[in-house]
Amino acid sequence: MSILRVSSERARPAAGTPHRALLLATRIGLPVAIAVVGLVLIVIGHGGTNSPVAVTGLVLIGIAIMVWMLNWMFRMSMESNDEREVEEQARDYYSLHGHWPDEPEE
């Protein structure tokens, strides 16, 4: 059983709240919507490389991928912050008790 815990609730709003819906819309809905618009433009432009509409669709798909990746990198950053906080708590515990929290007392 770990003594150290990190409250990651600050990064995850409760289910059913407006903040949670906005978070899901940003993480999932926005990139999907941009990609769908891009696909529609590719279809409208008949997929031709000379069609500015189709090329715009390809650009929008690239933008959708970038939005998704930015969201993913932000989530990885938040997890890294949580891990760093746990490590800091473990160091504080070591300073007080002379052993690591997961080691038995001697």
Side-chain angles (χ1 to χ4, degrees), residues 17-38:
T17 63
H19 296 301
R20 180 72 176 177
L22 182 62
L23 184 65
L24 288 175
T26 302
R27 284 185 183 166
I28 299 168
L30 183 62
V32 168
I34 294 171
V36 167
V37 170

Side-chain angles (χ1 to χ4, degrees), residues 10 18-19 36 49 53 70 96 103-104:
R10 61 185 150 82
H19 296 301
V36 167
T49 56
V53 176
L70 283 171
L96 289 173
E103 292 178 348

Side-chain angles (χ1 to χ4, degrees), residues 31-95:
V32 168
I34 294 171
V36 167
V37 170
L39 287 173
V40 168
L41 289 177
I42 290 172
V43 170
I44 290 173
H46 302 292
T49 56
N50 293 332
S51 169
V53 176
V55 172
T56 303
L58 286 172
V59 169
L60 284 177
I61 289 175
I63 290 171
I65 291 169
M66 286 191 298
V67 168
W68 176 80
M69 288 179 70
L70 283 171
N71 281 314
W72 175 74
M73 290 183 344
F74 179 75
R75 291 179 73 189
M76 293 297 110
S77 170
M78 293 301 291
E79 287 179 18
S80 173
N81 288 343
D82 290 345
E83 291 169 1
R84 203 170 295 126
E85 191 173 321
V86 168
E87 179 66 25
E88 184 177 335
Q89 289 175 355
R91 289 177 190 273
D92 291 342
Y93 184 90
Y94 183 83
S95 295

